[in-house]
Amino acid sequence: MNTNDFSLRHIGVHGADQEEMLKNIGASSIDQLINEALPENIRISEDINLPNALTELELSRHMQALGSLNKIYRSYIGFGYHNTILPPVIQRNILENPGWYTAYTPYQAEIAQGRLQALLNFQTMVSDLTALPIANASLLDEGTAAAEAMSMFFSSRTREQKKNNVNKFFVSDLILPQTLSVLETKASGLGIEIVTGNHENIELTSAFFGALVQYPGKHGELHDYSDFVEKAHHAEIQVAMAADILSLVLLRAPGEFGVDAAIGTTQRFGIPMGFGGPHAAYMACQEKYKREIPGRIIGLSQDSNGKPALRMALQTREQHIKRQKATSNICTAQVLLAVMAGMYAVYHGPNGLKYIAETIHKKAVYLAQVLKELNFEVLDNDFFDTIRVSTKGIDRYQLKSLLESYEININFFHPDFVSISLDDLDVATDEGFKDLISGFAKYQGVEYKFEMPDTIESKIPKALKRSSDFLTHENFNLYHTETELMRYIKRLEKKDLALNHSMIPLGSCTMKLNAAAEMLPLSKAEFGSIHPFAPQDQTQGYLTLINNLENYLSEITGFASTSLQPNSGAQGEYAGLMVIKEYLKSIGQTQRNVVVIPESAHGTNPASAVLTGLNVVIVKNLENGEFDIEDLKAKVEKHKNELAALMVTYPSTYGFFDDNIKEVIKIIHENGGQVYMDGANMNAQVGLTNPYNVGADVCHLNLHKTFAIPHGGGGPGVGPICVAEHLKEFLPGNPNVNSGSDTEKGLYAISSAPFGSALIHSISYSYIRLLGSAGLKRSTQFAILNANYLKKRLETAYDVLFTNKNGRVAHEMIIDFRPFKKYGIEVVDIAKRLMDYGFHAPTVSFPVAGTLMIEPTESESKAELDRFVEALLEIKKEIDEIANGNYPEDNNVLKNAPHTTAILTADKWSFGYSRQKAAYPLEWVRERKFWPSVSRIDDAYGDRNLICTCPPTEDYK
C-alpha cells in the first residue's frame, strides 16, 4: 500500500473487494463496466490536464505557502464584512467537528434534533434582535437575502397592485453597493424596476410595491426611519430593512419601526470574513409572510408519543416539489454558519453581546473625538461603529500609503470621504486601534498619546436607543463557561446522524468523504482574516488559489472559463441562465424566453428558470427514462422562435446516461437555443466525459457534492458556473472590486462577494490537488462501480426503475417501493425504519413519488455497502411478514419506526413484535447502534401550529 497515494484514503474499495464486486455485477474490469454504463460517443479520449497529485504533507506545505501570500492587515473597511473572534470552543467543537460539518439537510428530523435545536436558537436570536415574530434558518448572504425580500414583496402585492402591474421597488442610496447590484440582477428577471434615491425626499407613489433601507447606512449613517415606514405603509408599500445584527444590541429594533421584514448577515457573530464567505444571512418578517418567506423555517411539532420534536416546517415549499411555481430557488442555506452564529449568541448571552457592542461603540466615539482633535473633519454626529472623515484637502494616496505602512486598511470607496468601521478585535485588543490613531496623527505630523477615558458619551440618539429585551430564553443564559457550552454542543451533536457514523446514500447529493486534510486551511488566519474588498496586492494567495481552481474546473468540464461567485447550486443554475440571457440580448435575440426542461431534470431547475424571467416548458421522458425525442421536437418546433435554452441534468436524476443526449442537444442548437447542463450529477462524469464534450454551452457544478465541500447540515455550498468561449464575457462581476470580468457586459452580481464563499474554495482546490487527474477519474469509476454493485444486490428484492440498454446505472439508482402500498407500507416507512439500522434514508420520493434514490459515492467500503444492502433486504423480509399477515398493516415494525430508547425501555410494551426486533434487527446493529432522539414526527401538527422560536422549557416537560 502506497501511503502517499491519497486516492487510497478517499476511495473506499480496494483489492479483493473490487474483484468480488466486479464479479458480482458481471464485469471483468472497471473499464468494461464504464464502457457499458456510458455511451461511447460522449467519452473523452485524453486525460484531464491537471497538476500531479500531492501527498497530504505536500498539500499542507503548499497551502501554507499560498496562505503566506495573503497579507493579514487590520481591516477597518466594513461594507458588510468585519473582523470577528470565533470562540475556540465553537471552532473546535463545531467548525472542525465532522459530527456537525458532514451532516445533511434535516429532512429526516428524527435523526437531526441537535442541528434543528441549534437552528431554532439561531431563529430565536434573529427574531429577538429584529423584534419580528418570524425568522428563517438562514439565507446565503446579505445581497441575496435582500433580493429574496424584494421577490417576497413582489409576490405579496395586493390584488389591485398585481392588476395594475405595479413593479417599482425603492432602494435607499445608503444601501451596500454589492447588495444593490444583486438586487438589479434579480429585478431584471422578475420585471421589477429599481429606483434608487434618498429615503427622506423620495416621492412614494402608488407605482411602488416595496422599499429597502439600510440601518446603519453603508458608511455608518444613522437615521430614524419611523416617518418613512409610516408614509410607505400609507401608500401600501412594503418595507424591508437591511440591519447590522450587532448594532441591534444597542439600536432600536427594525420591528419597532413597523417594517415588514429585516434582512442582513450574521457574519459579525463569530464567523471569519474568509474573503467573502460563507456567512449565514438572516431574514425576519411579520406574521403575514410566514407562508411566503423563502428558505427554511425550523418549527416545533410533536412525535408519535406526544413528545415535543423539531422539524423543518412548511416543508412542502421545497423547490423540488413546487418546481416552476416556487417563489424562490433556494435549496442551500448556510446551516453550519448559522449554527456557529447562534452558538456565538448562546456563549456570550445578552450581557456579553452588550459588552461587545458597547465597547465597539465607545471606541468609535473616542476615535471621532481624537480625529477632530487632529483637525480632521468627522462628518457624522450620530453613529454606532463606523465614522466618516472628509478627505477635502487630504492627500488620499498619502493617507492610504501611510495607513498601509501600519498594515491597516480603511474604506476609500467614496471620493469625498473615508469611512472607518470598528469591530470585535477592538474589544479584545487595543493594538490595531492604537496604530490606526497613530497613522492619522502621523499624517498631521504629530504624535498622539492613546488614553481612553473611563466614561464616553454615547452617539446613539435617544430615539434610536434600544429599550426592549432580547435573548431572554434560558438557552442564551446557561452556557457562558466553556465547560457548559462544550457539553451543550456535545448533547446536541449526539442527536444527529452524520457521515462520521455511517454512509448517507442520498441520490443527487453525493455525500462523499470530506477529508480532514482538505478542511485544515479553514482554521488558518491567513485565509479566514482577509476582507473581500482588501487591495489585491494583499490577497495574492487567494487570487492564485481562485485562478487555479477556476482553471482546473474549466479543464474538468471542457469549458473556456469559470466563475466561482455563485454560493449555492441553485445560485449556479440562476447564474448560468442569466449568462445565457445576457448573451441572447447581445445578439439581438431578446424574444427568446422559453426554456425546455425534461421531467428527469434536477428539482430546482424550473424555479431557477422562472426567477430569470424565462417561461418553462416541460418535456416528457419515456417510460424507460430516456428523453421523449418526439415530444421534445414538437415543443421545440412550437417555440423555436422563442427558444432560449434547454436545462438538462446528465446523467439524469433517473440514474443513467441517456444514449440520445447528443441528438437532444443538436435539436436545441439547430433551433437557436443554448444548452445548460445541471452539474448535480457531475460525480459520474469527471475524467470520463465532460459537459462541453457532450455539447453543452454552460454548466454549474456543486462543489459541495462532486468536489468534497461538506454539506454542513444543509449548507454551505458553492455552485460555480463554467461556460463556453462565446459566453465568458457575460460572467458575473462585483461593483467594488475586479473579480475577473473585464467587460461592461459582466458587471452584474449574483452574490455579495466577488468570489462567493471564497474560504471554502480551498476545500475543493485541495481535493483536486490531492487526487490529480488519475485519482479524480478513479473516483468517478468507483462511484459507478459502487452504484452498480448496490443495484445488483438489491434488484433481487426490489424493482430498479431505470437502467440503460446494458442494464447499467450511473452513480445512483431509483428503487421503487410503490408495490408495497397494497400492504399499507409507504416509502416514508422505509425511510424511518432505516434509522433503526443506523442509516440515513436515501432521497425520498424524488424524482419519482414512492421511491428512494440511492447514491453510495466512491468513498464507501464494500463492508459498509453490504451493511446497507443487508438492512434493505431485512426490511423486505419485514414487509413480507406484513404481507403474510404476521403483523397488522397499522401496527408493525415499519409503521412504528423509528424506535427510541424511551420506547424500548418503557415499562409497557404494546407492540406485537419483540423489543429485540425493534432495536437490533441485525446483529451488527448492536455495536453500531444510533438512537433517534424522538419517534416519528407529526408533520401536519407542526404546520397547523407554527412555533419557530425557542419555546419555554415547561413546554418540553
Side-chain angles (χ1 to χ4, degrees):
M1 178 181 180
N2 179 359
T3 59
N4 286 326
D5 184 354
F6 175 76
S7 70
L8 299 178
R9 309 298 192 185
H10 176 77
I11 297 169
V13 173
H14 302 288
D17 285 346
Q18 175 186 336
E19 297 306 315
E20 186 178 339
M21 290 168 67
L22 286 167
K23 182 179 179 181
N24 183 282
I25 66 173
S28 60
S29 66
I30 282 275
D31 288 339
Q32 179 191 338
L33 169 63
I34 298 305
N35 288 335
E36 292 174 354
L38 273 73
E40 185 178 354
N41 66 345
I42 68 164
R43 296 287 301 275
I44 53 175
S45 57
E46 301 292 330
D47 289 337
I48 309 170
N49 183 19
L50 294 172
N52 292 333
L54 300 176
T55 67
E56 289 176 278
L57 177 60
E58 288 170 336
L59 175 72
S60 176
R61 290 173 175 171
H62 174 67
M63 296 304 291
Q64 186 174 350
L66 278 180
S68 69
L69 298 177
N70 294 324
K71 299 177 183 177
I72 307 177
Y73 280 21
R74 185 67 177 83
S75 174
Y76 292 98
I77 297 172
F79 255 32
Y81 301 93
H82 299 80
N83 290 288
T84 188
I85 298 172
L86 172 58
V89 62
I90 298 175
Q91 175 177 322
R92 174 58 58 90
N93 292 289
I94 296 178
L95 176 63
E96 297 174 352
N97 182 353
W100 286 94
Y101 67 70
T102 69
Y104 183 62
T105 305
Y107 291 118
Q108 300 298 329
E110 294 86 353
I111 51 175
Q113 287 297 296
R115 201 165 353 116
L116 289 165
Q117 179 61 63
L119 290 174
L120 193 67
N121 290 346
F122 174 86
Q123 289 179 182
T124 303
M125 172 191 83
V126 170
S127 182
D128 279 10
L129 288 170
T130 61
L132 287 164
I134 303 290
N136 67 19
S138 82
L139 295 175
L140 299 173
D141 62 22
E142 183 163 333
T144 54
E148 291 292 344
M150 177 181 70
S151 179
M152 181 177 77
F153 287 172
F154 191 59
S155 65
S156 301
R157 290 172 298 168
T158 66
R159 185 174 300 174
E160 192 69 18
Q161 286 174 328
K162 290 178 180 178
K163 177 182 175 182
N164 294 327
N165 194 29
V166 173
N167 72 335
K168 286 188 177 182
F169 186 75
F170 171 72
V171 179
S172 164
D173 54 13
L174 300 181
I175 212 76
L176 293 168
Q178 64 270 22
T179 299
L180 177 59
S181 187
V182 174
L183 284 167
E184 289 172 338
T185 303
K186 187 73 169 279
S188 70
L190 295 174
I192 294 171
E193 180 185 344
I194 299 284
V195 177
T196 59
N198 187 323
H199 75 277
E200 293 179 325
N201 56 36
I202 183 69
E203 185 181 356
L204 296 175
T205 69
S206 59
F208 290 89
F209 70 87
L212 175 67
V213 293
Q214 189 96 36
Y215 180 64
K218 61 186 175 184
H219 291 289
E221 308 92 332
L222 281 181
H223 291 275
D224 186 337
Y225 289 108
S226 302
D227 290 344
F228 175 81
V229 174
E230 185 178 350
K231 289 177 184 177
H233 283 166
H234 183 72
E236 293 190 311
I237 296 169
Q238 304 160 92
V239 181
M241 179 181 285
D244 177 337
I245 197 158
L246 182 60
S247 76
L248 301 183
V249 172
L250 302 183
L251 297 181
R252 183 179 169 191
E256 294 166 1
F257 290 99
V259 299
D260 300 280
I263 61 96
T265 174
T266 59
Q267 184 263 319
R268 299 197 75 164
F269 280 14
I271 311 302
M273 287 188 292
F275 205 42
H279 307 137
Y282 73 84
M283 180 185 283
C285 60
Q286 299 288 358
E287 187 86 19
K288 62 184 177 181
Y289 296 103
K290 68 183 178 183
R291 295 183 185 274
E292 299 293 332
I293 184 173
R296 299 165 183 154
I297 298 176
I298 309 308
L300 179 67
S301 186
Q302 62 183 25
D303 70 6
S304 58
N305 292 313
K307 177 182 177 182
L310 301 173
R311 58 184 278 276
M312 284 171 55
L314 308 173
Q315 197 164 314
T316 54
R317 298 177 314 164
E318 287 295 300
Q319 287 68 38
H320 65 264
I321 297 169
K322 294 193 75 171
R323 295 175 72 82
Q324 65 264 38
K325 294 181 181 178
T327 57
S328 168
N329 69 335
I330 283 189
C331 133
T332 303
Q334 301 282 25
V335 172
L336 185 67
L337 295 312
V339 167
M340 291 167 62
M343 283 301 174
Y344 182 90
V346 168
Y347 192 41
H348 291 303
N351 293 330
L353 293 181
K354 284 178 185 175
Y355 173 78
I356 292 168
E358 287 171 351
T359 304
I360 291 172
H361 179 61
K362 287 176 182 177
K363 284 196 170 181
V365 175
Y366 177 62
L367 177 63
Q369 293 173 357
V370 169
L371 293 180
K372 288 177 183 177
E373 291 173 17
L374 291 170
N375 294 318
F376 290 96
E377 183 184 0
V378 177
L379 297 177
D380 296 301
N381 188 55
D382 302 332
F383 51 84
F384 164 56
D385 66 351
T386 301
I387 63 171
R388 297 186 300 159
V389 181
S390 172
T391 52
K392 184 178 180 180
I394 299 291
D395 185 331
R396 291 166 63 94
Y397 177 79
Q398 182 185 351
L399 178 62
K400 185 173 186 291
S401 299
L402 187 57
L403 290 173
E404 286 181 357
S405 72
Y406 284 90
E407 298 188 344
I408 284 175
N409 294 320
I410 63 173
N411 190 317
F412 280 89
F413 286 121
H414 197 280
D416 299 327
F417 56 80
V418 295
S419 61
I420 307 161
S421 295
L422 276 60
D423 54 47
D424 258 21
L425 296 193
D426 296 305
V427 179
T429 175
D430 290 330
E431 183 180 350
F433 191 63
K434 288 179 180 178
D435 287 343
L436 176 66
I437 290 174
S438 296
F440 275 93
K442 190 172 182 179
Y443 179 86
Q444 300 290 45
V446 300
E447 289 188 11
Y448 190 90
K449 184 179 179 182
F450 178 85
E451 196 171 319
M452 279 278 292
D454 293 332
T455 58
I456 294 179
E457 182 182 351
S458 172
K459 291 298 181 181
I460 299 174
K462 185 176 181 181
L464 294 182
K465 285 186 177 180
R466 180 162 197 140
S467 59
S468 55
D469 290 335
F470 58 92
L471 303 187
T472 57
H473 191 275
E474 68 172 23
N475 286 357
F476 301 99
N477 294 280
L478 289 178
Y479 309 113
H480 299 161
T481 69
E482 180 164 335
T483 302
E484 288 300 326
L485 185 67
M486 175 182 66
R487 290 172 180 164
Y488 179 59
I489 292 171
K490 189 63 180 180
R491 287 199 300 275
L492 297 186
E493 179 197 341
K494 288 168 65 177
K495 296 179 179 182
D496 284 16
L497 190 149
L499 271 176
N500 62 342
H501 182 274
S502 59
M503 73 183 288
I504 301 180
L506 284 151
S508 198
C509 294
T510 315
M511 301 291 290
K512 64 171 63 178
L513 170 71
N514 314 120
E518 297 156 5
M519 301 293 291
L520 291 176
L522 302 188
S523 299
K524 303 295 183 183
E526 291 83 357
F527 292 101
S529 299
I530 309 300
H531 195 287
F533 306 141
Q536 289 194 354
D537 65 333
Q538 298 173 23
T539 62
Q540 288 303 300
Y542 258 121
L543 295 177
T544 300
L545 183 152
I546 287 166
N547 182 68
N548 287 346
L549 180 56
E550 288 176 344
N551 288 337
Y552 299 160
L553 296 177
S554 296
E555 173 67 21
I556 288 166
T557 58
F559 285 122
S561 192
T562 295
S563 169
L564 291 166
Q565 189 174 126
N567 49 9
S568 80
Q571 286 291 93
E573 296 173 18
Y574 176 70
L577 292 174
M578 288 302 298
V579 165
I580 289 174
K581 283 193 67 176
E582 291 298 310
Y583 165 72
L584 293 173
K585 180 180 176 181
S586 75
I587 61 171
Q589 295 286 300
T590 54
Q591 84 284 357
R592 293 190 174 272
N593 64 352
V594 167
V595 57
V596 294
I597 304 176
E599 294 171 328
S600 58
H602 198 244
T604 51
N605 287 180
S608 295
V610 169
L611 293 178
T612 62
L614 295 170
N615 299 317
V616 173
V617 173
I618 300 296
V619 175
K620 295 177 184 176
N621 286 81
L622 298 174
E623 193 172 329
N624 66 1
E626 289 185 344
F627 269 98
D628 186 332
I629 290 290
E630 295 309 312
D631 189 51
L632 175 70
K633 286 179 178 178
K635 285 171 177 170
V636 167
E637 175 64 26
K638 180 179 178 181
H639 299 285
K640 64 181 179 182
N641 294 324
E642 301 87 44
L643 179 65
L646 163 75
M647 294 188 83
V648 59
T649 305
Y650 197 68
S652 76
T653 55
Y654 289 168
F656 70 97
F657 289 93
D658 296 78
D659 281 330
N660 56 13
I661 185 66
K662 288 209 167 187
E663 182 183 358
V664 167
I665 289 174
K666 183 180 179 183
I667 292 169
I668 300 301
H669 283 158
E670 286 178 345
N671 286 276
Q674 297 286 293
V675 175
Y676 169 91
M677 184 172 287
D678 188 302
N681 291 342
M682 192 68 192
N683 211 47
Q685 285 196 41
V686 179
L688 303 179
T689 183
N690 64 53
Y692 178 78
N693 188 61
V694 173
D697 300 287
V698 55
C699 77
H700 92 269
L701 302 171
N702 296 95
L703 298 193
H704 51 286
K705 297 181 183 181
T706 306
F707 296 94
I709 291 177
H711 280 66
V718 179
I721 52 171
C722 310
V723 298
E725 184 71 30
H726 65 287
L727 297 178
K728 70 178 187 179
E729 62 183 318
F730 304 100
L731 291 172
N734 185 276
N736 298 320
V737 297
N738 181 11
S739 60
S741 185
D742 56 1
T743 73
E744 289 295 317
K745 299 171 184 175
L747 291 181
Y748 63 95
I750 294 295
S751 62
S752 292
F755 303 103
S757 296
L759 178 62
I760 55 175
H761 297 340
S762 61
I763 302 171
S764 296
Y765 179 85
S766 299
Y767 171 79
I768 293 170
R769 293 306 310 267
L770 283 169
L771 284 172
S773 176
L776 289 171
K777 182 177 180 180
R778 280 174 56 80
S779 294
T780 308
Q781 291 171 327
F782 277 85
I784 293 172
L785 171 63
N786 287 357
N788 279 277
Y789 177 70
L790 287 186
K791 178 248 179 190
K792 185 67 175 179
R793 290 209 59 195
L794 290 171
E795 66 186 3
T796 59
Y798 300 103
D799 294 333
V800 178
L801 276 190
F802 305 111
T803 64
N804 69 2
K805 63 185 179 183
N806 298 316
R808 300 298 188 191
V809 295
H811 67 314
E812 62 189 10
M813 82 207 77
I814 296 176
I815 303 291
D816 192 359
F817 290 90
R818 290 172 296 184
F820 309 122
K821 288 174 70 75
K822 58 189 174 186
Y823 310 125
I825 298 301
E826 304 283 349
V827 68
V828 69
D829 300 320
I830 314 298
K832 303 309 179 187
R833 180 57 173 157
L834 275 169
M835 296 176 190
D836 288 331
Y837 290 81
F839 285 110
H840 193 292
T843 305
V844 177
S845 287
F846 176 79
V848 179
T851 67
L852 292 179
M853 181 164 53
I854 301 170
E855 180 183 351
T857 86
E858 71 273 17
S859 297
E860 299 301 337
S861 66
K862 180 177 179 295
E864 184 73 354
L865 297 175
D866 285 338
R867 280 189 286 270
F868 180 69
V869 168
E870 288 165 14
L872 278 177
L873 293 181
E874 189 67 20
I875 287 173
K876 177 56 167 59
K877 292 178 183 177
E878 294 169 350
I879 296 172
D880 290 341
E881 290 172 341
I882 299 165
N884 294 333
N886 297 11
Y887 301 101
E889 291 183 3
D890 61 348
N891 187 4
N892 54 67
V893 75
L894 283 101
K895 283 294 182 186
N896 296 327
H899 298 82
T900 64
T901 51
I903 293 173
L904 269 295
T905 57
D907 292 338
K908 183 179 179 182
W909 181 257
S910 58
F911 305 133
Y913 49 89
S914 69
R915 297 177 199 245
Q916 165 95 7
K917 184 180 182 71
Y920 304 116
L922 292 169
E923 189 56 35
W924 55 259
V925 174
R926 197 176 291 274
E927 66 180 53
R928 295 169 175 268
K929 185 66 181 177
F930 179 89
W931 291 101
S933 51
V934 296
S935 58
R936 194 174 304 196
I937 293 174
D938 185 340
D939 290 330
Y941 178 90
D943 284 347
R944 289 193 305 268
N945 304 277
L946 182 62
I947 299 172
C948 61
T949 56
C950 293
T953 308
E954 292 73 25
D955 288 7
Y956 287 92
K957 292 180 181 178

